[in-house]
Amino acid sequence: MRGRGLGRSRLRASDLVQLGAHGLRARPVRAVLSAAGIAIGIAAMLAVIGISTSSQANLDAELDELGTNLLTVSPGRDPDTGEVLPLPRTAASTAARVDGVDVVSATGAMKDVGVYRNERVDPAESNGLALLATDRDLLRALRAELSRGSWLDRAPRRYPTAVLGERAAQRLGVTGPGERVWIGDRYFTVLGVLSPVRLTPEMDTAVLVNAQAAERYLGYDGHPTLLYERSPDALVETVRARLPRAVNPENPQDVAVSRPSDALKARQAAEASFTGLLVGLGGVALLVGGIGVANTMVISVIERRREIGLRRALGATRRHISRQFLVEALLLSALGGVAGAVLGAAVTAGYAASQDWPTAIPFAAPVGGVAATVVIGALAGLYPALRAARTPPTVALSSA
């Protein structure tokens, strides 16, 4: 029969935490360096995920603003000769009659006509600009904006006026409305300059003129080379299926319909794949940090054999010793995990602010990161804890 006070030895959870924290405080430099390995791994993964998520949030916001309901209609090619099959002159008007269409605008490329700053520029220096004949609805169809000046509808349709894309204005040296550029064999007055158009970046290097003026002064034949169409989101796919027959009833197979926003979504998917690679690299860094924790704990066991022996001689069981070192490893890893989560969030917020993006960090990322460090800490501290528990009191004391 056991006497009073001789019951089973117990070590409370608070005592375990205090013992583990004391072990870290006794060697602060080593603890900080070991925790830094974990912190770098967590910060790297969280920053990559956070920056990728912030980029996606910014792209989604832009798509919401620009709309994913923009369709482009372009001519197909002859399967035998490869020649471009022109769209009918009436393509825009017939497309506008399709149920569900909100707005349609046509552009016609004039590849044989150059655009220059003045008539003295060498014709070979074309600056890679595209001259497009268009109508008054283009601005509304693209949801584009003017950075300065006004649109083509502010002047008579047959008057020689032009609106320049942002990069076109830079290449021509045009700083604002009222200046003139040489197109074909005459000067055209610049009415305005477009802001960059995200969904249709080809507009940045375009010079836009009224279709009527293009026919009168530049020999435009009236056949559009591209249509831009918008419809309600719920009807996009329906309109998309109807447009080829509406544009070219006799040969609908010669008409191609695409959605510019698909290119942005494809880019987003490519970035997601790249993000997965970077997260993998962060995982490697996290593994290296875990090895550092294990190494620190093994060295700690070797250096503290006298302490272990003394505690064993005073009645501490193997279970007490193993739990002490396991808790110490967990605290060390948790310290690195929290520091890494804070650092990763700070890096994400700073980078997002520098790019003018919204900061978007999934809640599961920091929580999962800290949880991962706890698991790594448990695995890293398991062997040192078992090794410390297996140390006999007599051997430990004899090493003093």
Side-chain angles (χ1 to χ4, degrees):
M1 186 174 179
R2 293 183 179 179
R4 299 179 64 180
L6 298 178
R8 185 177 179 180
S9 176
R10 298 179 59 187
L11 191 62
R12 294 176 298 180
S14 58
D15 296 330
L16 280 173
V17 173
Q18 291 179 7
L19 284 172
H22 175 74
L24 298 181
R25 289 196 302 269
R27 299 163 182 81
V29 176
R30 183 183 299 172
V32 169
L33 292 178
S34 299
I38 292 286
I40 291 173
I42 291 296
M45 289 197 299
L46 184 59
V48 168
I49 294 173
I51 291 174
S52 175
T53 306
S54 298
S55 175
Q56 180 177 346
N58 180 68
L59 179 58
D60 291 342
E62 289 183 351
L63 287 175
D64 289 340
E65 180 180 354
L66 298 173
T68 57
N69 59 342
L70 176 65
L71 298 179
T72 59
V73 181
S74 58
R77 292 182 178 272
D78 189 296
D80 298 325
T81 63
E83 295 181 358
V84 176
L85 302 172
L87 295 174
R89 292 171 60 95
T90 59
S93 59
T94 55
R97 290 197 290 267
V98 175
D99 290 339
V101 171
D102 286 340
V103 60
V104 177
S105 179
T107 60
M110 293 170 283
K111 299 182 179 179
D112 299 330
V113 183
V115 182
Y116 308 95
R117 187 65 180 90
N118 53 57
E119 74 274 19
R120 295 184 296 274
V121 177
D122 187 345
E125 298 180 4
S126 63
N127 291 314
L129 303 179
L131 178 62
L132 302 178
T134 187
D135 51 45
R136 299 186 176 190
D137 292 328
L138 181 64
L139 205 65
R140 187 160 65 97
L142 298 181
R143 293 184 185 173
E145 297 180 351
L146 292 160
S147 61
R148 47 198 181 275
S150 57
W151 182 236
L152 295 169
D153 57 1
R154 296 299 299 273
R157 295 186 181 185
R158 298 175 65 86
Y159 192 79
T161 57
V163 169
L164 309 182
E166 182 68 27
R167 294 175 64 185
Q170 294 174 0
R171 294 178 185 180
L172 291 171
V174 174
T175 59
E179 300 184 40
R180 300 190 303 170
V181 293
W182 182 261
I183 304 177
D185 60 355
R186 68 181 60 247
Y187 279 104
F188 278 62
T189 302
V190 176
L191 293 181
V193 178
L194 289 175
S195 299
V197 186
R198 183 66 180 276
L199 282 183
T200 54
E202 64 270 15
M203 291 297 163
D204 296 343
T205 56
V207 176
L208 305 168
V209 298
N210 269 318
Q212 290 82 355
E215 291 182 12
R216 181 176 183 180
Y217 301 114
L218 306 174
Y220 174 51
D221 61 6
H223 288 277
T225 54
L226 201 61
L227 300 183
Y228 297 97
E229 180 276 336
R230 283 195 188 268
S231 53
D233 292 337
L235 299 177
V236 168
E237 294 303 325
T238 301
V239 172
R240 189 176 190 176
R242 294 176 178 174
L243 279 176
R245 187 165 296 279
V247 170
N248 193 343
E250 296 182 359
N251 300 294
Q253 70 279 2
D254 296 337
V255 178
V257 182
S258 63
R259 185 185 297 187
S261 58
D262 289 343
L264 294 180
K265 292 183 178 180
R267 190 200 72 181
Q268 183 177 351
E271 290 180 348
S273 300
F274 187 63
T275 298
L277 174 62
L278 294 180
V279 169
L281 294 177
V284 173
L286 188 59
L287 178 61
V288 172
I291 295 175
V293 171
N295 181 65
T296 298
M297 295 308 303
V298 170
I299 295 176
S300 179
V301 169
I302 295 174
E303 292 180 346
R304 296 161 64 185
R305 297 183 70 197
R306 183 175 182 180
E307 173 191 336
I308 297 170
L310 181 60
R311 293 196 62 235
R312 291 293 308 279
L314 293 176
T317 64
R318 290 186 176 184
R319 184 177 66 257
H320 297 158
I321 300 299
S322 63
R323 290 180 179 178
Q324 173 190 347
F325 281 87
L326 187 59
V327 168
E328 189 171 325
L330 289 173
L331 289 176
L332 184 60
S333 299
L335 176 64
V338 173
V342 173
L343 178 61
V347 170
T348 299
Y351 186 83
S354 68
Q355 300 296 318
D356 197 22
W357 294 348
T359 301
I361 302 176
F363 177 76
V367 174
V370 175
T373 61
V374 173
V375 174
I376 290 176
L379 296 176
L382 186 60
Y383 170 72
L386 294 177
R387 179 172 178 175
R390 288 197 300 266
T391 304
T394 53
V395 175
L397 291 174
S398 64
S399 65

